[in-house]
């Protein structure tokens, strides 16, 4: 559709890390989701910055995690002060972000055409 999700970052370290990105749209309730994560759980990259941006929708909910769930391990969320959420972006917060990111999830609402 008219929605897109872009993930930009800069990081150091890590070798051959596999990452995945999923984008989904739920037509009936106008929701658009974007997920970026490392299926193996924790990333060993040293992230200096990150930003996920959605186009064609406004962010309703978002969360960033220092560790993604794997096996019996749970997702470990970043502290609220480490990142910021606007209507269209989720990004690191300069001076507060602790350089760890393994998962980012966004749910956004697409504008509805009224009949």
């Amino acid at each position: 559709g008219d929605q897109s999700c872009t993930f930009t970052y800069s990081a150091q370290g890590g070798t051959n890390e596999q990452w995945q990105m999923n984008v989904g749209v739920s037509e009936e309730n106008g929701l658009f989701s974007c997920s970026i994560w490392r299926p193996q759980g924790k990333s060993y990259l040293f992230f200096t910055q990150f930003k996920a941006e959605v186009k064609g929708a406004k962010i309703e909910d978002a969360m960033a995690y220092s560790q993604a769930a794997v096996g019996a391990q749970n997702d470990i969320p970043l502290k609220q002060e480490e990142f910021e959420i606007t209507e269209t972006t989720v990004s690191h917060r300069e001076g507060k972000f602790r350089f760890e990111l393994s998962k980012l999830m966004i749910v956004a609402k697409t504008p509805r055409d009224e009949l």
Side-chain angles (χ1 to χ4, degrees):
D2 298 325
Q3 296 81 34
S4 68
C5 181
T6 310
F7 181 63
T8 53
Y9 66 94
S10 72
Q12 300 167 349
T15 52
N16 299 326
E17 281 200 2
Q18 303 293 313
W19 282 70
Q20 288 187 339
M21 182 175 191
N22 275 14
V23 175
V25 178
S26 174
E27 294 291 339
E28 68 262 7
N29 55 14
L31 292 179
F32 169 72
S33 66
C34 177
S35 306
I36 300 120
W37 79 99
R38 181 161 194 252
Q40 292 79 14
K42 188 167 175 54
S43 169
Y44 295 97
L45 293 173
F46 181 89
F47 281 88
T48 53
Q49 58 188 35
F50 73 87
K51 179 168 119 180
E53 184 172 14
V54 295
K55 288 201 168 83
K58 287 187 178 165
I59 295 175
E60 295 260 298
D61 192 24
M63 194 62 210
Y65 301 88
S66 61
Q67 183 171 315
V70 63
Q73 300 287 328
N74 290 328
D75 288 336
I76 299 173
L78 293 187
K79 290 186 169 57
Q80 214 55 55
E81 76 240 17
E82 290 189 73
F83 65 104
E84 56 192 342
I85 303 167
T86 69
E87 277 192 348
T88 57
T89 65
V90 179
S91 57
H92 74 288
R93 193 170 298 204
E94 202 68 49
K96 300 281 187 190
F97 177 54
R98 293 186 181 90
F99 315 109
E100 290 185 303
L101 184 70
S102 293
K103 184 176 183 179
L104 188 57
M105 297 185 71
I106 296 171
V107 175
K109 194 126 177 98
T110 58
R112 300 292 295 221
D113 290 332
E114 298 299 325
L115 297 176

